Amino acid sequence: MAMVVAGLLTVTLAACGDDSPEGKDLKENRAGAMANYNLGDQFKATEPVKFSMLYNNHPNYPLKNDWLFWSELTKRTNVSIEPVAVPLSDYESKRSLLIGAGDAPFIIPKTYPGQEDAFVSSGAILPVSDYLDLMPNLKDKISKWNLQSEINTLRQADGKYYLLPGLHEKPWQDYTLAVRTDILDQLHLSAPKTWDELYTVLKAMKKAYPNSYPFSDRWSKPNPGGNLLNILAFSYGLEGAGWNFQHTSWDANAKKFVYTGASDPYRQMLTYLNKLVREGLLDPESFTQTDDQARQKLANGKSFVISANAQTLVNENRPDLAKTIPSAKISKITLPIGPAGEINPASRLENGIMISKKARDSKNFVAMMQFIDWLWYSDAGQEFARWGVEGTTFARDASGKITLADDVNVVGLHPNASKHLQKDFGFYNGIFAYGGRPELVQAFFSPEEQDFQKVMNARTPKAVPPPYPFTDEEREQVSLWETPLKDFVYQSTLQFILGQRDLSQWDAYVTELKAKNMDKYMDVVNKAYERYQKEHS
């Protein structure tokens, strides 16, 4: 069965375009490439090669040319990377400028699924799906982890995809809510497992502390309710809201896409939040205040619940409370369950890599694709990018278990260590280290966070919606509609939540969306979906 599935996958991938390696002469592009590079092999170029790469320079660990990462990478692979460093704050705009001017480096990482769409029609980036036969580790993980549905969401109207995504074996949901557990204990309450139970907990907190807003939230800049709306949307079966607003959500029963901001689940979600605000359980300033203001309210005991992820819990919330309320305890709760049931909404696709079209003409093109396959997709490459070098940054015991070296710190594991894995060595860099098996992704997680992930991984992964790739003309048209629609949804969402607009006016709001071309937008989406199904099913 496994052989049949793998064979079918190979046929499917090879059939996606007519520019596959089998149909192209790559004889002039194999300088430095290994003649036989297979699954699990250590890639090492047959001669020294250099590849230019756009580098997202993170302020938490600024680029250093003497990092061990660079020298060890060259030692293992015979490859030198020439980074074109761009500040994190300017990365997306600089990336667009370089690609548009034809000056982009060969390797363009830190590109999230969907961001490549803008560069497809110009022909500036490579249809990477045509070259998967050069990447045995990537192909193996797509097959072994049953990622074909996720991969299909990357396909463009021509059936090809233009992004090599980061791959997770299991979805990784980090963002949720953190709750003062000492207050729960004081009030003889259990941690809420559903959004309805959260409402009950907030009511009890309000009764005990009438002058408080039990829930005062953060992450509302630049999108009001950024995280809260997003995780709630998932719980209601939608594709995303807040900072991850998605115009479309798949209606499996109707077998068509609906406009997220006009759907009944979206209305139900806003009704829930409006109830929290109306009853004084959710601070109305949650949607406008800065993160620092939200943190201060929590630290001063004016609130007890806040949006969080693993790092903000450990690095911000707990130290904040330790200074002001030393007896306070706070923990993440598993993502509350809503009408959509017990799902893990996280995508198994991560940010990934675009390849500049001009790289295809390089004499080292095949070697470059083999190198990318090893570093980003092989087990050995993923371990190297995250952990570093055995005997220097980590140790391995007789059973194969890896532990961070005692004199090396990362994410607070060894806070008194003299060296830092990211800052001093260049490993665990967000450009190179992402995706993989859960034990690798969660390697630096605390036992508490690993327990959280075990619960989330036991949940059913969120169903992946079918693709609906636009033609160039369609993409140009919908881009004119998307911003006015999204701006109006954001504005109205806030008004409905805060009671500035009564939810009895929902039908009028939907009519206003239609006046902003919502129906025309959805017609294009569903026609694109139907066309893709007809041409590629």
Side-chain angles (χ1 to χ4, degrees):
M1 177 66 75
M3 291 175 65
V4 171
V5 171
L8 288 173
L9 177 65
T10 301
V11 171
T12 301
L13 294 174
C16 288
D18 55 8
D19 195 25
S20 62
E22 292 84 358
K24 279 281 189 178
D25 182 5
L26 289 167
K27 291 180 181 178
E28 304 300 319
N29 309 96
R30 292 185 174 274
M34 293 174 62
N36 294 296
Y37 171 67
N38 297 306
L39 178 66
D41 288 349
Q42 167 64 56
F43 169 77
K44 188 162 189 176
T46 58
E47 61 185 56
V49 292
K50 292 182 179 181
F51 302 126
S52 59
M53 187 188 79
L54 195 61
Y55 184 88
N56 188 348
N57 201 1
H58 201 293
N60 289 353
Y61 41 94
L63 172 65
K64 293 181 181 177
N65 293 326
D66 62 352
W67 274 340
L68 178 61
F69 174 86
W70 302 121
S71 57
E72 185 69 22
L73 182 67
T74 301
K75 177 181 175 183
R76 296 189 186 197
T77 66
N78 217 7
V79 171
S80 298
I81 290 179
E82 298 178 325
V84 177
V86 177
L88 171 67
S89 58
D90 296 329
Y91 188 75
E92 291 186 17
S93 59
K94 184 67 172 178
R95 180 181 62 198
S96 296
L97 288 172
L98 287 171
I99 294 175
D103 296 328
F106 280 8
I107 303 173
I108 310 170
K110 210 64 179 176
T111 300
Y112 286 86
Q115 292 181 336
E116 78 279 16
D117 293 354
F119 310 113
V120 170
S121 61
S122 68
I125 59 173
L126 203 66
V128 289
S129 57
D130 286 344
Y131 301 96
L132 290 195
D133 282 347
L134 303 176
M135 309 185 76
N137 290 287
L138 171 59
K139 286 179 67 173
D140 178 66
K141 283 181 166 54
I142 292 173
S143 174
K144 186 167 58 180
W145 295 348
N146 194 25
L147 283 160
Q148 196 58 55
S149 294
E150 285 91 339
I151 293 295
N152 281 340
T153 65
L154 301 174
R155 297 193 187 278
Q156 301 292 329
D158 58 6
K160 303 178 183 184
Y161 52 93
Y162 294 71
L163 179 74
L164 295 169
L167 307 177
H168 286 269
E169 181 179 5
K170 299 284 187 180
W172 168 35
Q173 177 64 30
D174 187 11
Y175 289 83
T176 182
L177 303 179
V179 179
R180 282 273 303 272
T181 53
D182 58 309
I183 301 296
L184 293 179
D185 293 341
Q186 176 194 326
L187 300 178
H188 305 291
L189 298 168
S190 299
K193 295 181 179 180
T194 68
W195 290 102
D196 287 341
E197 288 180 9
L198 176 68
Y199 168 75
T200 302
V201 165
L202 295 175
K203 287 279 283 186
M205 289 176 169
K206 182 72 173 181
K207 183 177 180 181
Y209 296 91
N211 294 325
S212 73
Y213 280 113
F215 186 1
S216 188
D217 211 17
R218 64 180 302 171
W219 287 325
S220 284
K221 304 285 186 181
N223 301 325
N227 175 63
L228 176 57
L229 283 167
N230 195 42
I231 59 177
L232 258 172
F234 293 145
S235 302
Y236 279 80
L238 300 170
E239 289 303 318
W243 59 22
N244 183 38
F245 177 75
Q246 301 294 315
H247 289 276
T248 65
S249 290
W250 176 246
D251 185 332
N253 294 323
K255 291 283 189 274
K256 68 175 185 178
F257 286 93
V258 298
Y259 193 76
T260 299
S263 65
D264 194 57
Y266 199 85
R267 180 187 60 79
Q268 294 173 22
M269 177 181 74
L270 300 190
T271 301
Y272 175 83
L273 290 173
N274 173 258
K275 180 172 70 170
L276 297 188
V277 171
R278 195 172 64 248
E279 297 185 19
L281 310 179
L282 174 61
D283 184 359
E285 294 182 357
S286 294
F287 301 92
T288 53
Q289 67 189 355
T290 64
D291 285 5
D292 286 344
Q293 289 171 319
R295 287 173 58 185
Q296 196 65 34
K297 289 176 181 178
L298 183 75
N300 291 336
K302 294 181 178 179
S303 68
F304 313 114
V305 180
I306 193 170
S307 282
N309 61 29
Q311 292 202 42
T312 60
L313 176 72
V314 173
N315 297 335
E316 297 177 4
N317 301 139
R318 284 178 177 161
D320 289 349
L321 283 164
K323 295 175 185 176
T324 54
I325 311 174
S327 61
K329 296 179 181 178
I330 188 168
S331 295
K332 283 171 60 174
I333 61 171
T334 51
L335 188 66
I337 298 165
E342 292 192 46
I343 60 168
N344 189 330
S347 172
R348 293 197 293 162
L349 300 187
E350 256 277 15
N351 69 78
I353 301 164
M354 294 186 293
I355 304 296
S356 172
K357 187 68 177 291
K358 63 186 179 183
R360 173 61 182 78
D361 297 326
S362 165
K363 67 177 183 177
N364 302 125
F365 174 70
V366 173
M368 186 187 77
M369 298 303 284
Q370 292 176 345
F371 165 73
I372 291 172
D373 180 68
W374 179 83
L375 179 57
W376 274 277
Y377 297 105
S378 76
D379 291 345
Q382 290 180 341
E383 179 186 287
F384 167 73
R386 188 172 299 261
W387 282 98
V389 178
E390 185 173 358
T392 302
T393 59
F394 74 88
R396 194 191 312 266
D397 66 17
S399 69
K401 183 180 178 181
I402 295 177
T403 54
L404 196 65
D406 290 339
D407 62 343
V408 177
N409 181 38
V410 72
V411 296
L413 288 179
H414 296 156
N416 297 319
S418 59
K419 302 166 189 171
H420 195 277
L421 187 64
Q422 295 168 309
K423 297 176 184 177
D424 297 318
F425 295 103
F427 298 105
Y428 197 34
N429 185 320
I431 296 173
F432 304 106
Y434 50 77
R437 294 170 287 111
E439 52 267 38
L440 180 72
V441 173
Q442 300 173 19
F444 300 138
F445 289 3
S446 66
E448 173 188 22
E449 180 62 20
Q450 291 188 22
D451 287 342
F452 174 91
Q453 293 300 330
K454 284 178 184 177
V455 175
M456 292 303 301
N457 282 336
R459 297 183 179 181
T460 303
K462 184 175 71 70
V464 179
Y468 56 92
F470 296 134
T471 63
D472 292 344
E473 293 78 14
E474 288 169 341
R475 184 177 293 109
E476 184 177 354
Q477 179 60 72
V478 299
S479 66
L480 300 176
W481 295 333
E482 284 181 336
T483 298
L485 282 168
K486 183 168 70 172
D487 289 348
F488 185 65
V489 171
Y490 279 0
Q491 171 193 331
S492 302
T493 294
L494 196 56
Q495 290 173 341
F496 282 130
I497 292 171
L498 299 180
Q500 297 167 351
R501 184 172 190 180
D502 195 274
L503 280 154
S504 63
Q505 297 182 33
W506 181 261
D507 290 344
Y509 154 73
V510 172
T511 299
E512 290 161 9
L513 280 172
K514 291 179 179 180
K516 297 182 182 297
N517 299 299
M518 178 187 74
D519 286 346
K520 292 179 181 178
Y521 180 89
M522 295 312 303
D523 283 344
V524 174
V525 167
N526 282 303
K527 285 177 182 176
Y529 155 70
E530 292 166 3
R531 179 180 63 240
Y532 185 86
Q533 292 298 308
K534 182 178 179 180
E535 294 176 356
H536 299 285
S537 60

